[in-house]
Amino acid sequence: MPHRIYKNIYQVGGAAISDVRDGAVYLLDLGELILIDSGAGIGFEQTIRNIATIGFNPAEMSAVILTHCHMDHIGGAAQFRKNFGTTIVMHSLDAEIIERGDQHMTAAWCFGIYLKPFPIDVKLHGEKGQLSFGGNMINWIHIPGHTPGSIAIYFEIGGKRILFGQDMSAPLLEDFKCDPIAWRESIDKLLALDADILCDSHAGVFRPQHRARSYIQRSIMEHDFK
């Protein structure tokens, strides 16, 4: 079932609540409705039902921010835009991969799904920045390694820093042109944020701060970094 994580943050999609191929989909109510990632697309209708179940109107979805270009995160984005006019946001380095319809780099073939190329409305450039929704600011940082244009999202609410890191424990496969050195540097950026609540795409939600930090550190050890 969809559920509230903290204040105006909800999980509305994921392997257990929309489709087994979906990474976690998080909804933020910031005066505007924002999604962090969109699932693989197969679970789109269930994600819509989940959003409605917790009392929100999917037609009011303002933007979907894609953390990186893999199919379990991006597959539903074009459906949100087609059905509701939702704006799609992601880093320019991964946007290029989607727009050329790269079935390999998006891992579409791993999920048995064909990626139909779609345009990205807002392309983020550089190492960090802010996005404004409903008068509220959220921060993004570039965390390459897992993919060239991976980003993390964070902001503070109710005295807590919330971090959406997504695939931190995913394998760094040479076949997908992952960059372990860049990934290690990116993980240090995430550690430095000292998040109180960490929302991952596959491993769940970690809180309080010491558990969030421990999960990130465990990800480093799992990749054999010293």
Side-chain angles (χ1 to χ4, degrees):
M1 291 292 291
H3 57 278
R4 179 175 175 268
I5 293 169
Y6 178 74
K7 292 189 178 292
N8 53 357
I9 303 169
Y10 306 82
Q11 183 175 354
V12 296
I17 61 175
S18 53
D19 185 86
V20 69
R21 288 162 284 192
D22 288 344
V25 180
Y26 296 103
L27 184 150
L28 316 180
D29 179 11
L30 300 176
E32 297 179 49
L33 298 181
I34 311 301
L35 288 182
I36 306 294
D37 287 336
S38 65
I42 305 301
F44 174 76
E45 293 296 339
Q46 184 58 55
T47 300
I48 293 305
R49 287 190 288 270
N50 290 341
I51 292 170
T53 293
I54 57 176
F56 295 103
N57 182 356
E60 297 177 356
M61 200 63 59
S62 177
V64 54
I65 303 173
L66 301 176
T67 60
H68 64 285
C69 66
H70 289 162
M71 196 70 191
D72 52 333
H73 298 262
I74 67 166
Q79 295 181 66
F80 274 100
R81 180 170 51 202
K82 178 181 178 180
N83 287 275
F84 310 122
T86 306
T87 298
I88 303 175
V89 182
M90 81 181 310
H91 198 280
S92 60
L93 293 177
D94 273 18
E96 190 274 332
I97 294 170
I98 292 173
E99 290 181 335
R100 71 170 183 251
D102 193 318
Q103 305 301 313
H104 184 79
M105 287 294 288
T106 59
W109 64 276
C110 294
F111 296 92
I113 302 171
Y114 175 76
L115 170 67
K116 182 179 180 180
F118 59 89
I120 304 302
D121 302 304
V122 177
K123 297 176 184 177
L124 307 175
H125 298 270
E127 298 304 310
K128 62 182 179 179
Q130 292 185 314
L131 296 165
S132 177
F133 298 103
N136 295 285
M137 302 299 295
I138 66 173
N139 306 284
W140 66 267
I141 57 171
H142 183 210
I143 52 166
H146 184 52
T147 69
S150 290
I151 62 170
I153 303 295
Y154 70 95
F155 61 95
E156 295 187 13
I157 185 170
K160 303 290 185 183
R161 176 168 286 183
I162 319 299
L163 171 63
F164 300 86
Q166 303 299 64
D167 286 7
M168 279 183 285
S169 289
L172 299 172
L173 301 176
E174 184 178 347
D175 194 40
F176 288 99
K177 299 182 181 179
C178 297
D179 184 338
I181 295 175
W183 179 89
R184 183 64 180 83
E185 294 173 351
S186 294
I187 287 294
D188 283 340
K189 295 180 187 178
L190 298 181
L191 277 170
L193 290 174
D194 288 325
D196 297 291
I197 301 175
L198 168 63
C199 300
D200 186 74
S201 183
H202 301 287
V205 177
F206 298 87
R207 70 183 101 192
Q209 188 179 91
H210 75 272
R211 290 195 67 238
R213 189 173 188 85
S214 177
Y215 173 69
I216 299 173
Q217 291 171 328
R218 189 164 67 249
S219 297
I220 296 171
M221 292 186 289
E222 288 174 354
H223 288 91
D224 296 323
F225 286 103
K226 307 298 183 185

